[in-house]
Amino acid sequence: MMLRKAVRYRLEPLPEQEHLLSRAVGCVRFVWNRALAVQKSYLDHQCGILSYVDMAKCLTTWRNGESFGFLSESPVHPQQWALKFLDRALKDAFDKSNPKRFPVFKKKGLHDSMRYPDPEQIKIDLRPQDADGRTQFPKIFLPRIGWVKFRKSCVIGGEIRNVTVSHSGGHWHVAIQTEKEVPDPVHPSTTAVGGDRGVANLLTLSDGTMFLPVTTYRDLQKRLAKEQKRLAHKVKFSANWKQQKAKITRLHQRIAEIRKTVLHQVSAAISKNHAVVVLEDLKVRNMTGSARGTAEESGRNIRQKAGLNKSILDQGWGMLKRMMGYKLQWTGGMLLLVDPAYTSQICPVCGVVDAGNRQTQAEFHCLHCGHEAHADVNAAQNILARGLTTSYEVASTAGHAGVVCFAA
Ligand SMILES: [Zn+2]
């Protein structure tokens, strides 16, 4: 099995390196935005879109020209990669079977990043020594930037495929993607478990295990609202306003980091203990969509739905599913996805489906045979049963070979 992993380290650039990084990332953003503008004008004139090769030719012209000559002072590969990424985003947007969102212009300070796609150009020195033979901080060589110190918090396992440099929360990070050939893992456990993703509990397993929801977002929500109110009172684009804006960004990033850590812990624990995990194939995007409804059918329960949406986003369901998928693949396990219809209403004893069976958030009480259970555990057991009986197939589009989808 080819094992692909990414590790992320904090960079410690010198002030002049930081300046170069900001410029390089700014150039990548410029190339993306300019290329997108070109493609949009082609689309407006019904001329289709330009191919990646044509766009790369444009980039060469820009780099060699007078007006955008500054681009040539920054590394070229990340700029080409931005074009490749845009090309894929445009193709995805026009994919009839599963259209994705149309690419948007990038704003400064939001997801600032660049990728070095060629591992040949990257060098890593884990134990550099100074003139007196003393060991220094590990360093990574980035073309046009130079040797940059980084905090090596975990091992880089495998051969480097590419490197992404990003700026968030006032710090620079480097993500190193690696791959290595490992023997196919055999999962130490033989158990299968179903998981119900809920609002009251982040995840309830069919064996009764419960994981509490990630409430960080709501806990910090009040503080965020307060800080945002403060922002509204400040003069836009003033020094104070910028400072406040940066504070809010850091708060958002902190919330996201905590959520990610919790989801990593939950998915790691489950994928270690169970060889097969069954989850519902919820379309999280549909569930978190507008509760307002259309003009003809104005939405009901807008308040409740808004709260539910926040909970769903809070808990990062999509992220959990993805993490579970690749972690099970690493351990030799398997993730099964099943149709979510009626899993909370089926009675596992008599098999009757009735909306009245789930009387409250926590209780399941069958109206026909009287069976009682914890509602979430009951749903998880139904999900497990469905996963073990429904025929399934490997989803090639999911990106992870270990992810298996139900066949409708
Ligand atoms: Zn029953």
Side-chain angles (χ1 to χ4, degrees):
M1 183 181 86
M2 191 58 92
L3 186 64
R4 291 205 178 98
K5 274 189 180 182
V7 282
R8 187 162 166 261
Y9 304 117
R10 174 117 155 240
L11 285 174
E12 300 279 1
L14 298 168
E16 61 266 30
Q17 289 176 332
E18 202 160 349
H19 178 69
L20 290 174
L21 284 170
S22 296
R23 280 190 70 155
V25 167
C27 284
V28 166
R29 183 176 56 241
F30 179 89
V31 167
W32 169 281
N33 285 344
R34 187 146 184 94
L36 181 57
V38 169
Q39 298 284 31
K40 275 193 166 174
S41 75
Y42 266 78
L43 284 169
D44 287 345
H45 292 91
Q46 261 108 45
C47 299
I49 55 165
L50 288 173
S51 69
Y52 165 72
V53 176
D54 287 335
M55 284 317 302
K57 280 179 195 156
C58 286
L59 177 61
T60 311
T61 319
W62 297 340
R63 282 173 67 93
N64 293 335
E66 293 249 315
S67 321
F68 312 124
F70 60 87
L71 291 174
S72 63
E73 288 164 29
S74 285
V76 64
H77 283 140
Q79 294 174 12
Q80 287 169 343
W81 177 79
L83 293 179
K84 217 162 228 168
F85 198 62
L86 177 63
D87 187 56
R88 201 168 64 201
L90 286 167
K91 279 176 185 154
D92 284 347
F94 289 112
D95 180 0
K96 284 203 179 69
S97 60
N98 181 25
K100 297 229 171 77
R101 195 175 68 136
F102 195 84
V104 293
F105 292 109
K106 288 192 192 296
K107 283 187 193 149
K108 189 180 176 184
L110 267 182
H111 311 296
D112 274 344
S113 75
M114 62 171 170
R115 173 171 289 185
Y116 288 102
D118 183 8
E120 296 288 313
Q121 295 198 320
I122 307 295
K123 281 174 269 187
I124 291 178
D125 191 349
L126 292 178
R127 298 179 72 82
Q129 292 182 339
D130 65 4
D132 301 327
R134 279 174 302 204
T135 309
Q136 303 277 299
F137 256 107
K139 283 178 180 174
I140 181 164
F141 180 81
L142 303 169
R144 291 289 185 107
I145 311 294
W147 286 96
V148 188
K149 279 200 269 188
F150 68 95
R151 297 188 188 178
K152 188 172 163 286
S153 42
C154 57
V155 283
I156 312 166
E159 207 171 303
I160 297 173
R161 275 169 54 89
N162 60 55
V163 163
T164 306
V165 177
S166 62
H167 188 250
S168 70
H171 298 291
W172 288 93
H173 293 94
V174 61
I176 304 172
Q177 224 180 78
T178 63
E179 71 175 19
K180 69 173 168 188
E181 188 68 42
V182 292
D184 284 351
V186 178
H187 204 284
S189 149
T190 52
T191 53
V193 79
D196 181 41
R197 296 177 280 185
V199 175
N201 289 323
L202 165 64
L203 193 72
T204 303
L205 300 185
S206 50
D207 64 4
T209 315
M210 286 175 199
F211 294 94
L212 292 176
V214 187
T215 50
T216 10
Y217 190 80
R218 261 165 299 166
D219 291 347
L220 290 171
Q221 184 74 7
K222 273 187 193 157
R223 216 178 111 195
L224 196 63
K226 210 168 76 188
E227 300 292 357
Q228 263 158 351
K229 209 172 270 173
R230 273 192 198 149
L231 181 75
H233 290 301
K234 295 191 192 302
V235 181
K236 231 178 174 182
F237 306 118
S238 67
N240 274 332
W241 182 87
K242 281 180 188 161
Q243 208 176 14
Q244 184 65 14
K245 186 107 177 133
K247 202 173 179 181
I248 289 169
T249 308
R250 281 200 301 275
L251 203 55
H252 271 301
Q253 281 163 351
R254 213 180 109 205
I255 293 164
E257 291 285 328
I258 296 169
R259 181 172 57 204
K260 209 166 158 183
T261 310
V262 171
L263 293 177
H264 267 306
Q265 287 163 347
V266 170
S267 55
I270 297 172
S271 61
K272 252 179 219 160
N273 293 330
H274 302 283
V276 176
V277 178
V278 189
L279 295 178
E280 292 175 312
D281 191 16
L282 298 179
K283 294 276 179 280
V284 175
R285 192 165 290 177
N286 291 349
M287 289 188 69
T288 53
S290 168
R292 264 167 264 144
T294 57
E296 298 88 60
E297 197 183 329
S298 63
R300 283 175 297 168
N301 305 332
I302 294 173
R303 286 275 291 278
Q304 288 95 316
K305 262 200 173 165
L308 179 68
N309 285 348
K310 201 152 81 185
S311 299
I312 293 170
L313 290 171
D314 219 358
Q315 296 165 11
W317 278 0
M319 203 187 265
L320 180 68
K321 199 162 77 178
R322 217 170 45 243
M323 288 177 179
M324 206 83 100
Y326 67 73
K327 282 180 190 176
L328 281 161
Q329 194 193 357
W330 291 348
T331 52
M334 192 183 263
L335 174 66
L336 305 181
L337 298 176
V338 297
D339 186 351
Y342 310 114
T343 47
S344 62
Q345 301 172 12
I346 301 172
C347 171
V349 177
C350 67
V352 165
V353 182
D354 195 320
N357 284 352
R358 187 166 193 166
Q359 287 168 345
T360 63
Q361 183 67 39
E363 283 172 72
F364 180 90
H365 180 93
C366 178
L367 296 175
H368 301 263
C369 73
H371 171 69
E372 283 184 10
H374 185 286
D376 288 340
V377 176
N378 188 62
Q381 284 168 350
N382 284 330
I383 290 165
L384 173 64
R386 189 169 289 177
L388 298 180
T389 52
T390 326
S391 58
Y392 48 79
E393 60 187 18
V394 175
S396 54
T397 50
H400 300 292
V403 179
V404 176
C405 281
F406 67 92

